[in-house]
Amino acid sequence: MGNSGSAVKVCTEHQGGINWLSLSPDGQRLLTGSEDGTARLWSTADSQCHGHFQGHESYITFCHLENEAAFTCSADHTIRKWDVMTGQCLAIYRGHTSIVNRILVAKDYLFSGSYDRTARCWSVDKEKQIQEFRGHRNCVLTLAHYSSKDVLDESEEEEEKMSTDLLVTGSTDCTVKVWWVSSGRCYQTLLGHTGAVLCLILDAPNRELFSGSTDYTIRTWNIVTGEQLKVFKEHQGSVICLELVNRHLYSGSADRTVKCWLVDTGERIQTYKAHKHSVSTLKYHAGILFTGSGDACARAFNSKTGVLQKIFRGHKFIINCIQIHNELLYTASHDGTLRIWDIRGICKRNKRRLKKERSVQVRSSQKGSLSRLFNNKVGCMVQQENGECEAIELV
């Protein structure tokens, strides 16, 4: 394990905890939303604050950044759209009757979920509500979006085929619902969880949805049929965050661990320990799993072996969100700071390790014929520390 990391820069402009951190699609900017009721725009080139968005009447719960516009939602029941160049508020979306805790931008749509038990769809370019999704019996906590043309087959009705956009909502009422955006009608209610649904992740090409809950489980669903496919049960606390990479599912939990699962079999293949509090956020990058925790530390693990490679210390409270860009790690905390860490050393070591592993695999395959000669308890292949394989005869 490497030494504890030191922050390249600490940004202290916010006067309250940072609840969310969003990276623009082009990677040029970061957006932070804070308990102080403001959002700030940061350049990834110089790590300076280049925008200060003021106007909300209460704390910002979540934010989303596009290349030219920023979106924030708040406990003041509204959503706002901002011009990233001027800082001007371009639109205010009103209609929710309680805290708006999550937003999602897809195509020309803006989706929102609220403590008022509804989700809503808005036109991005207008301050106009297009649709309201009503049916949950409690707060809507998390959102996902996909297009029906990516998942529906020819047996589906033509009328439904034309309704190409679908919204997925997870709620504290223990259910996940799938909605037709055009009509607001509920297409599926996914039943099985016995606790609040805290996180969703969608794999539309494979018609799969993953949901994490306070019932300690992760469940996999067929988003076309609504069938529950698998239940991942090994966590001993609420499942707070999910990440899906190359058919590997990573889950962060209040039990202070992250687990890695093979999606196709449901097998748990790795557990990442060392956290001293709940795992609040996670991000996979270049073979490394980065985590943020309630113990105020971020950590880097070898995703394959589970070995802890580095601890990033400096925050005072829970790390709520992390982002990675150009081998810099950005961590946003309830202590009000945005911290920037250099992860080039970790990434470089990991690339060397992966290159070495690939080299060993190639040499091993080349010696396959030799390996077959030493089967049936005649001999074995031993991998030495330098990566070379040596044939050792058994006596």
Side-chain angles (χ1 to χ4, degrees):
M1 184 183 75
N3 296 326
S4 298
S6 297
V8 174
K9 184 171 182 179
V10 181
C11 307
T12 61
E13 282 83 344
H14 277 297
Q15 302 302 306
I18 299 173
N19 289 326
W20 202 254
L21 173 64
S22 179
L23 178 68
S24 63
D26 62 14
Q28 294 184 11
R29 300 179 180 90
L30 286 158
L31 180 69
T32 50
S34 171
E35 292 276 323
D36 65 14
T38 73
R40 287 182 179 270
L41 193 69
W42 311 83
S43 168
T44 55
D46 60 12
S47 303
Q48 297 297 317
C49 181
H50 289 272
H52 188 204
F53 307 146
Q54 302 180 77
H56 280 296
E57 297 176 3
S58 188
Y59 61 90
I60 293 174
T61 55
F62 191 87
C63 60
H64 174 84
L65 183 58
E66 293 290 309
N67 290 334
E68 297 179 357
F71 298 85
T72 56
C73 61
S74 169
D76 67 8
H77 309 178
T78 72
I79 306 150
R80 288 177 179 251
K81 178 183 177 182
W82 310 85
D83 186 310
V84 299
M85 300 305 295
T86 66
Q88 178 185 359
C89 181
L90 301 176
I92 303 176
Y93 307 85
R94 305 180 190 275
H96 281 296
T97 58
S98 188
I99 297 170
V100 185
N101 54 65
R102 190 58 56 98
I103 51 177
L104 185 158
V105 178
K107 299 181 179 178
D108 296 324
Y109 296 129
L110 168 65
F111 298 99
S112 56
S114 169
Y115 275 53
D116 66 10
R117 306 183 181 186
T118 73
R120 299 175 192 235
C121 177
W122 317 78
S123 167
V124 167
D125 296 327
K126 302 175 183 177
E127 299 173 55
K128 179 183 178 182
Q129 180 177 302
I130 298 173
Q131 197 58 259
E132 179 178 321
F133 308 94
R134 188 175 291 273
H136 280 297
R137 292 178 288 105
N138 218 320
C139 312
V140 178
L141 296 181
T142 183
L143 307 169
H145 167 272
Y146 67 99
S147 174
S148 63
K149 65 183 180 182
D150 296 331
V151 299
L152 296 184
D153 57 35
E154 295 179 359
S155 65
E156 297 295 327
E157 297 179 7
E158 288 299 322
E159 178 183 353
E160 302 290 38
K161 276 187 174 181
M162 295 175 65
S163 304
T164 56
D165 291 286
L166 293 100
L167 177 70
V168 186
T169 54
S171 169
T172 54
D173 67 9
C174 310
T175 71
V176 176
K177 288 181 179 287
V178 185
W179 314 80
W180 294 108
V181 171
S182 62
S183 66
R185 185 170 68 83
C186 184
Y187 168 61
Q188 296 279 4
T189 298
L190 310 182
L191 302 172
H193 281 298
T194 57
V197 178
L198 301 182
C199 49
L200 295 172
I201 194 160
L202 186 67
D203 183 2
N206 289 297
R207 301 185 172 193
E208 290 178 332
L209 175 74
F210 303 87
S211 54
S213 169
T214 59
D215 65 11
Y216 303 179
T217 72
I218 306 149
R219 294 170 192 256
T220 313
W221 314 83
N222 182 304
I223 53 176
V224 176
T225 66
E227 176 188 4
Q228 182 174 281
L229 303 175
K230 293 184 183 72
V231 183
F232 305 86
K233 290 184 175 180
E234 290 191 27
H235 277 299
Q236 301 301 310
S238 298
V239 178
I240 297 170
C241 48
L242 296 171
E243 178 94 328
L244 181 65
V245 182
N246 298 327
R247 303 299 286 169
H248 288 68
L249 181 68
Y250 299 89
S251 54
S253 170
D255 68 9
R256 306 182 181 188
T257 72
V258 176
K259 294 183 183 293
C260 178
W261 316 80
L262 291 179
V263 169
D264 296 325
T265 65
E267 177 187 4
R268 192 267 304 155
I269 60 171
Q270 192 59 259
T271 298
Y272 309 85
K273 301 179 181 180
H275 308 95
K276 297 178 181 178
H277 206 285
S278 301
V279 178
S280 48
T281 183
L282 52 85
K283 185 78 68 175
Y284 176 97
H285 176 75
I288 306 168
L289 186 68
F290 293 90
T291 65
S293 172
D295 63 16
C297 291
R299 291 174 173 83
F301 296 87
N302 180 309
S303 63
K304 186 174 181 180
T305 66
V307 173
L308 177 62
Q309 295 184 305
K310 190 174 280 289
I311 302 174
F312 303 89
R313 292 189 176 94
H315 283 295
K316 304 300 182 185
F317 298 113
I318 182 173
I319 295 173
N320 288 322
C321 193
I322 59 180
Q323 291 288 348
I324 298 167
H325 180 66
N326 280 349
E327 297 189 345
L328 290 174
L329 171 68
Y330 299 84
T331 57
S333 168
H334 202 68
D335 65 11
T337 67
L338 171 67
R339 290 178 181 254
I340 305 168
W341 317 81
D342 189 341
I343 57 173
R344 286 176 296 179
I346 305 174
C347 294
K348 189 174 182 179
R349 288 196 301 273
N350 197 59
K351 287 176 182 177
R352 286 201 302 266
R353 179 187 63 80
L354 292 173
K355 185 177 180 180
K356 184 177 180 180
E357 285 181 358
R358 284 193 294 268
S359 178
V360 169
Q361 289 170 0
V362 170
R363 288 197 293 269
S364 295
S365 65
Q366 291 172 342
K367 297 187 179 183
S369 58
L370 178 60
S371 179
R372 285 191 291 273
L373 291 176
F374 286 89
N375 59 12
N376 297 323
K377 297 186 179 179
V378 175
C380 65
M381 296 296 293
V382 177
Q383 182 175 319
Q384 299 176 326
E385 289 185 1
N386 63 5
E388 295 292 344
C389 288
E390 179 184 3
I392 304 296
E393 185 177 349
L394 297 177
V395 179

